[in-house]
Amino acid sequence: VGKAVRLEASCSQLVEGEYRRTMRRLGLPADAPPQSHIQCIMLALVLEEASMMQLKEECRFLKLEATNRPALQQHLFVETLCRQRWEDEGLSVSRLGYEAAIRVKLRWQQLELMDGRQLLDTWQAQGFTDEIQVSDMREKLKATALWKEMPVALLQEECRDLGLPIGTSESELLAQLTNAKSLSQNQVSSWEAKGVPLQRLGSQQDRIALVLRLETLETLSHPELRREYQEATALPPQAASVPEEPGELIQRL
């Protein structure tokens, strides 16, 4: 209680410094909003003072699985103050598991702190060669960090959602995702010039899914495009309202 009172009376810089030291001590990312820093520090103190028996009992109550002291502390901290926020950010703790989710968040934090030069070095070190904006580069590197922690079943779901071939091995699935989930600025500009409002879509994943679909349509013959259009609009095969121009068919689809 005394420390909480002292922290509340301290300036924000001192509180932030103590918060970051606390997160490093626990091996957790320092990603909480400023208004939660004191709460995080106090929970960490409680967990550090608790006995092994108390930590195990609390984990059993919350149905968490961990054996050693650092893992018990991490799981309880994440479950209490991080899990919902991470889930809202698209990081499914329940599906990945606590250790994997923590590793992803720590890597995301590193990527967020990188400048453009550091991101480019990391980008090239991971074997990427396409030229994209720094924000998209960071987004793809974060996605790659997440994919590397996913089990095969979740990787297959990701491929299925993007319309990619669904392999059976982890390496094959990762290759499918890392090779497909990227759009260069030239690609975006090209599709925008054709009247496709990619920038209005909320996420890179949505933009990529749309481009993959459009590129697939461009490979189809005119009869195939007509069939696609008829199926999408439930028109009969000989309907006079089916556009004749391939470009208009693609645009409507």
Side-chain angles (χ1 to χ4, degrees):
V1 175
K3 182 157 187 176
V5 172
R6 291 195 299 274
L7 285 169
E8 288 174 351
S10 301
C11 67
S12 59
Q13 290 89 344
L14 289 175
V15 172
E16 182 179 357
E18 180 65 22
Y19 164 70
R20 293 189 178 281
R21 286 190 292 273
T22 299
M23 292 300 99
R24 282 197 298 272
R25 202 163 61 243
L26 286 176
L28 293 171
D31 66 337
Q35 62 269 25
S36 300
H37 286 180
I38 292 178
Q39 185 182 14
C40 291
I41 295 168
M42 298 314 299
L43 176 58
L45 287 173
V46 170
L47 294 174
E48 288 171 341
E49 291 295 326
S51 66
M52 276 292 287
M53 184 179 297
Q54 289 171 322
L55 291 172
K56 287 181 177 179
E57 183 60 32
E58 190 65 22
C59 278
R60 277 195 296 269
F61 177 75
L62 294 173
K63 298 180 180 179
L64 306 178
E65 295 182 4
T67 54
N68 60 69
R69 186 177 183 86
L72 288 165
Q73 292 172 337
Q74 287 182 338
H75 289 202
L76 287 168
F77 190 97
V78 170
E79 180 65 25
T80 306
L81 292 181
C82 306
R83 178 172 175 167
Q84 187 56 58
R85 177 161 45 83
W86 291 3
E87 296 272 355
D88 292 343
E89 294 172 5
L91 181 61
S92 179
V93 178
S94 58
R95 303 181 78 188
L96 282 179
Y98 288 87
E99 285 86 357
I102 290 168
R103 287 194 295 269
V104 171
K105 283 298 294 184
L106 287 170
R107 183 55 177 160
W108 284 4
Q109 183 175 269
Q110 291 174 341
L111 292 168
E112 287 293 345
L113 294 174
M114 289 182 184
D115 59 26
R117 181 70 255 177
Q118 292 169 319
L119 279 171
L120 182 58
D121 290 343
T122 303
W123 180 258
Q124 294 173 341
Q126 293 197 19
F128 296 119
T129 57
D130 43 328
E131 297 180 4
I132 60 177
Q133 292 182 335
V134 169
S135 58
D136 288 337
M137 195 183 300
R138 180 179 284 110
E139 189 174 345
K140 181 167 181 179
L141 287 170
K142 289 173 71 174
T144 301
L146 175 58
W147 295 329
K148 286 181 178 179
E149 295 293 344
M150 285 183 173
V152 168
L154 290 184
L155 290 172
Q156 289 174 328
E157 285 186 23
E158 288 279 302
C159 287
R160 187 178 297 110
D161 290 343
L162 286 170
L164 299 173
I166 302 171
T168 55
S169 71
E170 181 180 350
S171 58
E172 182 183 3
L173 291 161
L174 282 171
Q176 290 284 1
L177 289 164
T178 54
N179 289 334
K181 266 203 155 183
S182 172
L183 289 180
S184 69
Q185 188 55 44
N186 286 337
Q187 282 178 292
V188 174
S189 300
S190 174
W191 284 108
E192 289 275 347
K194 295 177 183 179
V196 180
L198 288 179
Q199 300 287 12
R200 296 185 191 176
L201 298 179
S203 70
Q204 176 81 333
Q205 181 170 324
D206 291 337
R207 295 194 291 271
I208 291 167
L210 178 56
V211 167
L212 287 173
R213 174 61 175 156
L214 290 169
E215 288 178 347
T216 298
L217 290 173
E218 285 197 324
T219 65
L220 300 181
S221 66
H222 188 246
E224 289 171 331
L225 278 173
R226 285 180 61 89
R227 283 196 298 273
E228 284 274 339
Y229 183 79
Q230 288 160 355
E231 290 174 4
T233 56
L235 289 173
Q238 304 304 320
S241 58
V242 177
E244 288 298 325
E245 288 295 324
E248 186 177 355
L249 282 167
I250 293 173
Q251 185 175 24
R252 293 196 183 187
L253 282 165

